[in-house]
Amino acid sequence: QWQLVESGGGLVQPGGSLRLSCAVSGFTLDYYSIGWFRQAPGKEREGVAYINNNDDTTYYADSVKGRFTISRDNAKNTVYLQMNSLKPEDTATYYCAASGHYGSYFHVDEYEYWGQGTQVTVSS
């Protein structure tokens, strides 16, 4: 049974940091690219960060470039999202998703597996 479980969300003050984890089970992470997405109330789900399975090439939304870093540890079947210099507008539910397609980037329809999400709230 495949499963993606996000953790590490919480309440943080503006300028603070969080590290999200996405633990994968039921399939081999090596063969999948991973995307982090977020959705705020009343807004569309948007892609935040992406890492592919071929050469660990990463891709970021302009809104988080320079502040967020995606990485993967295939041995631990886990993908991370390090979030620094957090802003109130980063508040959302964050989801990780796995895609077996090449070059999925933020194309939501190409992701086969999704986690349940973890809440991130940036507020003073």
Side-chain angles (χ1 to χ4, degrees), residues 27-62:
F27 60 92
T28 304
L29 184 60
D30 305 50
Y31 302 121
Y32 287 83
S33 298
I34 300 294
W36 279 98
F37 296 79
R38 67 186 181 187
Q39 188 167 19
K43 294 189 176 181
E44 295 282 323
R45 186 169 298 191
E46 63 173 347
V48 174
Y50 165 86
I51 185 166
N52 76 12
N53 61 311
N54 290 331
D55 57 7
D56 286 353
T57 296
T58 57
Y59 181 79
Y60 298 93
D62 287 343

Side-chain angles (χ1 to χ4, degrees), residues 12-16 37-41 43-44 46-48 61-64 67-68 83-94 119-124:
V12 63
Q13 292 188 342
F37 296 79
R38 67 186 181 187
Q39 188 167 19
K43 294 189 176 181
E44 295 282 323
E46 63 173 347
V48 174
D62 287 343
S63 58
V64 307
R67 300 188 298 122
F68 290 13
M83 306 187 296
N84 298 328
S85 302
L86 283 161
K87 305 175 181 180
E89 50 264 44
D90 294 318
T91 295
T93 300
Y94 283 70
Q119 178 66 36
V120 171
T121 303
V122 185
S123 175
S124 54

